Amino acid sequence: MNDKDAIKIFENSTKKSVVQIERCSVGIANYVFIVSTASEKYILRCSKDEDAYKDTVYWLKKLSVCDISIPIVLSEGKYKDYSYLILSYIRGDDIGNVYYKLKDSEKKQIAKEVVEIQQKISRIDIQADAEWTWSCVVDEMLNRAEERIESKHYFDINKIYTIKKLQQEIQGYLDKVPPTPYLDDISTKNLLIYEGKLSGIIDIDWMGLGDMLTFVAMTKVALLNMDLDTKYIDYLLEEIHPSTIEYKAFVFYCLMFCVDFMGERGMQFLDKTIPVNESIIKRLNDIFDILMEEWNKCGEQ
């Protein structure tokens, strides 16, 4: 999608004139634009998927009772082959983009607020499918990573088999995880920070059901992959107070996301290809080794 079509969608829907439009670099499943009029900014999201934003609208409405800063749906519809959604704009940048600027005290406060938000969301009444189990969710993610790694050959497929063996050690824990709702896609993206403070959460297209520790694990792997410190993870874990088995599961999830990141390398989403080169391959392999050391320490405790 080009800027011209995006401007036409916005102006036809809102009857407001566009002063400036900017394609966002984030988002691999949607075309996302920041649209400026003479007085305000908006977010325009477009997708070729049929009913692409049905779930987004549903979840934003569902979460509106939680007293958290999320976008407001202003308009939705179709234009040519595209579904579109116009949302209110929230000031701020993804935490991953500003992380290096944050003071430890700011990371600690953000972590506190994020866990409070997850606790609010955990109380929402959501019914899981009758066949839902957390173990199946974990299996699906590992199987997806296995399929992707096997097709691209950038990484050693034996890493998947290693993790599947580790899974057996915590299977009893995984079998007991209930379908608790939580935001599972707020890692180094989708969590907006403005002037060192949490300003909002965006791109809520679905809701996670299961173990909230996965969002912490994904964030840790993302920070390591960006060669950033993981003090924010320490603060998140301080707020959550995981038990010994929960912490072991957390390290397992970190390994799971590590191979998930490996599987994405070289894949194409819309007009974007996830970069891959020798440096990226080495970094992810090193992260895997670091996480395996953490897992082994869990076994020594």
Side-chain angles (χ1 to χ4, degrees), residues 72-89:
I72 299 168
V73 176
L74 302 175
S75 180
E76 60 176 314
K78 294 189 181 299
Y79 172 80
K80 293 184 178 179
D81 296 333
Y82 291 96
S83 299
Y84 70 84
L85 186 65
I86 299 175
L87 301 164
S88 60
Y89 175 80

PDB file of all heavy atoms in Angstrom, residues 72-89:
ATOM      1  N   ILE A  72      -8.512   4.298  21.078  1.00  0.00           N
ATOM      2  CA  ILE A  72      -9.962   4.310  20.888  1.00  0.00           C
ATOM      3  C   ILE A  72     -10.248   4.091  19.408  1.00  0.00           C
ATOM      4  O   ILE A  72      -9.604   4.707  18.550  1.00  0.00           O
ATOM      5  CB  ILE A  72     -10.562   5.657  21.346  1.00  0.00           C
ATOM      6  CG1 ILE A  72     -10.297   5.881  22.832  1.00  0.00           C
ATOM      7  CG2 ILE A  72     -12.057   5.724  21.045  1.00  0.00           C
ATOM      8  CD1 ILE A  72     -10.596   7.290  23.295  1.00  0.00           C
ATOM      9  N   VAL A  73     -11.190   3.209  19.100  1.00  0.00           N
ATOM     10  CA  VAL A  73     -11.568   2.963  17.707  1.00  0.00           C
ATOM     11  C   VAL A  73     -12.446   4.113  17.221  1.00  0.00           C
ATOM     12  O   VAL A  73     -13.495   4.397  17.784  1.00  0.00           O
ATOM     13  CB  VAL A  73     -12.327   1.636  17.565  1.00  0.00           C
ATOM     14  CG1 VAL A  73     -12.791   1.432  16.126  1.00  0.00           C
ATOM     15  CG2 VAL A  73     -11.458   0.469  18.011  1.00  0.00           C
ATOM     16  N   LEU A  74     -11.990   4.787  16.164  1.00  0.00           N
ATOM     17  CA  LEU A  74     -12.720   5.936  15.617  1.00  0.00           C
ATOM     18  C   LEU A  74     -13.491   5.583  14.352  1.00  0.00           C
ATOM     19  O   LEU A  74     -14.540   6.140  14.094  1.00  0.00           O
ATOM     20  CB  LEU A  74     -11.739   7.081  15.328  1.00  0.00           C
ATOM     21  CG  LEU A  74     -10.931   7.570  16.531  1.00  0.00           C
ATOM     22  CD1 LEU A  74      -9.906   8.605  16.099  1.00  0.00           C
ATOM     23  CD2 LEU A  74     -11.854   8.155  17.595  1.00  0.00           C
ATOM     24  N   SER A  75     -12.941   4.653  13.574  1.00  0.00           N
ATOM     25  CA  SER A  75     -13.605   4.277  12.330  1.00  0.00           C
ATOM     26  C   SER A  75     -13.029   2.969  11.819  1.00  0.00           C
ATOM     27  O   SER A  75     -11.858   2.661  12.056  1.00  0.00           O
ATOM     28  CB  SER A  75     -13.406   5.376  11.277  1.00  0.00           C
ATOM     29  OG  SER A  75     -14.038   5.029  10.064  1.00  0.00           O
ATOM     30  N   GLU A  76     -13.856   2.198  11.131  1.00  0.00           N
ATOM     31  CA  GLU A  76     -13.382   0.977  10.480  1.00  0.00           C
ATOM     32  C   GLU A  76     -14.188   0.762   9.212  1.00  0.00           C
ATOM     33  O   GLU A  76     -15.316   1.245   9.065  1.00  0.00           O
ATOM     34  CB  GLU A  76     -13.528  -0.233  11.412  1.00  0.00           C
ATOM     35  CG  GLU A  76     -14.954  -0.496  11.852  1.00  0.00           C
ATOM     36  CD  GLU A  76     -15.073  -1.758  12.694  1.00  0.00           C
ATOM     37  OE1 GLU A  76     -14.478  -2.785  12.293  1.00  0.00           O
ATOM     38  OE2 GLU A  76     -15.750  -1.720  13.728  1.00  0.00           O
ATOM     39  N   GLY A  77     -13.586   0.063   8.255  1.00  0.00           N
ATOM     40  CA  GLY A  77     -14.296  -0.172   7.002  1.00  0.00           C
ATOM     41  C   GLY A  77     -13.431  -0.858   5.972  1.00  0.00           C
ATOM     42  O   GLY A  77     -12.418  -1.478   6.295  1.00  0.00           O
ATOM     43  N   LYS A  78     -13.847  -0.748   4.695  1.00  0.00           N
ATOM     44  CA  LYS A  78     -13.111  -1.376   3.606  1.00  0.00           C
ATOM     45  C   LYS A  78     -12.869  -0.365   2.496  1.00  0.00           C
ATOM     46  O   LYS A  78     -13.690   0.517   2.254  1.00  0.00           O
ATOM     47  CB  LYS A  78     -13.883  -2.577   3.060  1.00  0.00           C
ATOM     48  CG  LYS A  78     -14.018  -3.719   4.054  1.00  0.00           C
ATOM     49  CD  LYS A  78     -14.602  -4.948   3.392  1.00  0.00           C
ATOM     50  CE  LYS A  78     -14.763  -6.083   4.395  1.00  0.00           C
ATOM     51  NZ  LYS A  78     -13.485  -6.486   4.974  1.00  0.00           N
ATOM     52  N   TYR A  79     -11.727  -0.510   1.833  1.00  0.00           N
ATOM     53  CA  TYR A  79     -11.371   0.331   0.687  1.00  0.00           C
ATOM     54  C   TYR A  79     -10.635  -0.550  -0.305  1.00  0.00           C
ATOM     55  O   TYR A  79      -9.578  -1.101   0.007  1.00  0.00           O
ATOM     56  CB  TYR A  79     -10.487   1.494   1.126  1.00  0.00           C
ATOM     57  CG  TYR A  79      -9.913   2.296  -0.023  1.00  0.00           C
ATOM     58  CD1 TYR A  79     -10.692   3.254  -0.671  1.00  0.00           C
ATOM     59  CD2 TYR A  79      -8.620   2.075  -0.463  1.00  0.00           C
ATOM     60  CE1 TYR A  79     -10.175   3.990  -1.729  1.00  0.00           C
ATOM     61  CE2 TYR A  79      -8.094   2.808  -1.524  1.00  0.00           C
ATOM     62  CZ  TYR A  79      -8.875   3.757  -2.154  1.00  0.00           C
ATOM     63  OH  TYR A  79      -8.357   4.481  -3.208  1.00  0.00           O
ATOM     64  N   LYS A  80     -11.230  -0.735  -1.493  1.00  0.00           N
ATOM     65  CA  LYS A  80     -10.667  -1.636  -2.501  1.00  0.00           C
ATOM     66  C   LYS A  80     -10.433  -3.010  -1.871  1.00  0.00           C
ATOM     67  O   LYS A  80     -11.350  -3.607  -1.337  1.00  0.00           O
ATOM     68  CB  LYS A  80      -9.389  -1.047  -3.081  1.00  0.00           C
ATOM     69  CG  LYS A  80      -9.605   0.220  -3.903  1.00  0.00           C
ATOM     70  CD  LYS A  80      -8.305   0.696  -4.545  1.00  0.00           C
ATOM     71  CE  LYS A  80      -8.550   1.932  -5.385  1.00  0.00           C
ATOM     72  NZ  LYS A  80      -7.304   2.452  -6.009  1.00  0.00           N
ATOM     73  N   ASP A  81      -9.186  -3.490  -1.892  1.00  0.00           N
ATOM     74  CA  ASP A  81      -8.897  -4.815  -1.334  1.00  0.00           C
ATOM     75  C   ASP A  81      -8.527  -4.765   0.142  1.00  0.00           C
ATOM     76  O   ASP A  81      -8.170  -5.789   0.729  1.00  0.00           O
ATOM     77  CB  ASP A  81      -7.733  -5.471  -2.093  1.00  0.00           C
ATOM     78  CG  ASP A  81      -8.062  -5.747  -3.547  1.00  0.00           C
ATOM     79  OD1 ASP A  81      -9.261  -5.921  -3.847  1.00  0.00           O
ATOM     80  OD2 ASP A  81      -7.142  -5.795  -4.371  1.00  0.00           O
ATOM     81  N   TYR A  82      -8.606  -3.586   0.741  1.00  0.00           N
ATOM     82  CA  TYR A  82      -8.092  -3.410   2.100  1.00  0.00           C
ATOM     83  C   TYR A  82      -9.202  -3.256   3.135  1.00  0.00           C
ATOM     84  O   TYR A  82     -10.215  -2.599   2.904  1.00  0.00           O
ATOM     85  CB  TYR A  82      -7.204  -2.169   2.173  1.00  0.00           C
ATOM     86  CG  TYR A  82      -5.905  -2.303   1.419  1.00  0.00           C
ATOM     87  CD1 TYR A  82      -5.785  -1.813   0.124  1.00  0.00           C
ATOM     88  CD2 TYR A  82      -4.806  -2.936   1.987  1.00  0.00           C
ATOM     89  CE1 TYR A  82      -4.603  -1.937  -0.585  1.00  0.00           C
ATOM     90  CE2 TYR A  82      -3.611  -3.066   1.301  1.00  0.00           C
ATOM     91  CZ  TYR A  82      -3.518  -2.566   0.009  1.00  0.00           C
ATOM     92  OH  TYR A  82      -2.340  -2.689  -0.689  1.00  0.00           O
ATOM     93  N   SER A  83      -8.981  -3.871   4.295  1.00  0.00           N
ATOM     94  CA  SER A  83      -9.728  -3.524   5.500  1.00  0.00           C
ATOM     95  C   SER A  83      -8.915  -2.439   6.193  1.00  0.00           C
ATOM     96  O   SER A  83      -7.684  -2.452   6.145  1.00  0.00           O
ATOM     97  CB  SER A  83      -9.845  -4.730   6.435  1.00  0.00           C
ATOM     98  OG  SER A  83     -10.526  -5.782   5.820  1.00  0.00           O
ATOM     99  N   TYR A  84      -9.595  -1.476   6.826  1.00  0.00           N
ATOM    100  CA  TYR A  84      -8.840  -0.426   7.519  1.00  0.00           C
ATOM    101  C   TYR A  84      -9.457  -0.126   8.874  1.00  0.00           C
ATOM    102  O   TYR A  84     -10.629  -0.417   9.140  1.00  0.00           O
ATOM    103  CB  TYR A  84      -8.762   0.849   6.673  1.00  0.00           C
ATOM    104  CG  TYR A  84     -10.072   1.609   6.528  1.00  0.00           C
ATOM    105  CD1 TYR A  84     -10.494   2.522   7.499  1.00  0.00           C
ATOM    106  CD2 TYR A  84     -10.883   1.415   5.405  1.00  0.00           C
ATOM    107  CE1 TYR A  84     -11.689   3.215   7.363  1.00  0.00           C
ATOM    108  CE2 TYR A  84     -12.074   2.105   5.263  1.00  0.00           C
ATOM    109  CZ  TYR A  84     -12.475   2.999   6.243  1.00  0.00           C
ATOM    110  OH  TYR A  84     -13.655   3.681   6.124  1.00  0.00           O
ATOM    111  N   LEU A  85      -8.613   0.448   9.726  1.00  0.00           N
ATOM    112  CA  LEU A  85      -9.014   0.815  11.081  1.00  0.00           C
ATOM    113  C   LEU A  85      -8.337   2.142  11.417  1.00  0.00           C
ATOM    114  O   LEU A  85      -7.131   2.291  11.214  1.00  0.00           O
ATOM    115  CB  LEU A  85      -8.557  -0.269  12.050  1.00  0.00           C
ATOM    116  CG  LEU A  85      -8.998  -0.171  13.516  1.00  0.00           C
ATOM    117  CD1 LEU A  85     -10.503  -0.316  13.640  1.00  0.00           C
ATOM    118  CD2 LEU A  85      -8.294  -1.253  14.339  1.00  0.00           C
ATOM    119  N   ILE A  86      -9.120   3.096  11.892  1.00  0.00           N
ATOM    120  CA  ILE A  86      -8.569   4.392  12.321  1.00  0.00           C
ATOM    121  C   ILE A  86      -8.701   4.486  13.832  1.00  0.00           C
ATOM    122  O   ILE A  86      -9.789   4.301  14.388  1.00  0.00           O
ATOM    123  CB  ILE A  86      -9.288   5.563  11.633  1.00  0.00           C
ATOM    124  CG1 ILE A  86      -9.100   5.473  10.113  1.00  0.00           C
ATOM    125  CG2 ILE A  86      -8.749   6.905  12.147  1.00  0.00           C
ATOM    126  CD1 ILE A  86      -9.863   6.509   9.320  1.00  0.00           C
ATOM    127  N   LEU A  87      -7.573   4.756  14.486  1.00  0.00           N
ATOM    128  CA  LEU A  87      -7.505   4.761  15.945  1.00  0.00           C
ATOM    129  C   LEU A  87      -6.992   6.098  16.457  1.00  0.00           C
ATOM    130  O   LEU A  87      -6.300   6.834  15.734  1.00  0.00           O
ATOM    131  CB  LEU A  87      -6.561   3.660  16.434  1.00  0.00           C
ATOM    132  CG  LEU A  87      -6.888   2.228  16.036  1.00  0.00           C
ATOM    133  CD1 LEU A  87      -5.679   1.332  16.254  1.00  0.00           C
ATOM    134  CD2 LEU A  87      -8.079   1.716  16.823  1.00  0.00           C
ATOM    135  N   SER A  88      -7.307   6.385  17.709  1.00  0.00           N
ATOM    136  CA  SER A  88      -6.727   7.557  18.353  1.00  0.00           C
ATOM    137  C   SER A  88      -5.231   7.349  18.515  1.00  0.00           C
ATOM    138  O   SER A  88      -4.750   6.215  18.566  1.00  0.00           O
ATOM    139  CB  SER A  88      -7.376   7.799  19.721  1.00  0.00           C
ATOM    140  OG  SER A  88      -7.166   6.683  20.562  1.00  0.00           O
ATOM    141  N   TYR A  89      -4.497   8.436  18.563  1.00  0.00           N
ATOM    142  CA  TYR A  89      -3.034   8.391  18.655  1.00  0.00           C
ATOM    143  C   TYR A  89      -2.609   8.556  20.113  1.00  0.00           C
ATOM    144  O   TYR A  89      -3.144   9.393  20.837  1.00  0.00           O
ATOM    145  CB  TYR A  89      -2.446   9.518  17.812  1.00  0.00           C
ATOM    146  CG  TYR A  89      -0.948   9.666  17.899  1.00  0.00           C
ATOM    147  CD1 TYR A  89      -0.107   8.834  17.179  1.00  0.00           C
ATOM    148  CD2 TYR A  89      -0.368  10.649  18.713  1.00  0.00           C
ATOM    149  CE1 TYR A  89       1.266   8.966  17.246  1.00  0.00           C
ATOM    150  CE2 TYR A  89       1.007  10.791  18.789  1.00  0.00           C
ATOM    151  CZ  TYR A  89       1.826   9.950  18.055  1.00  0.00           C
ATOM    152  OH  TYR A  89       3.180  10.098  18.127  1.00  0.00           O
TER     153      TYR A  89
END
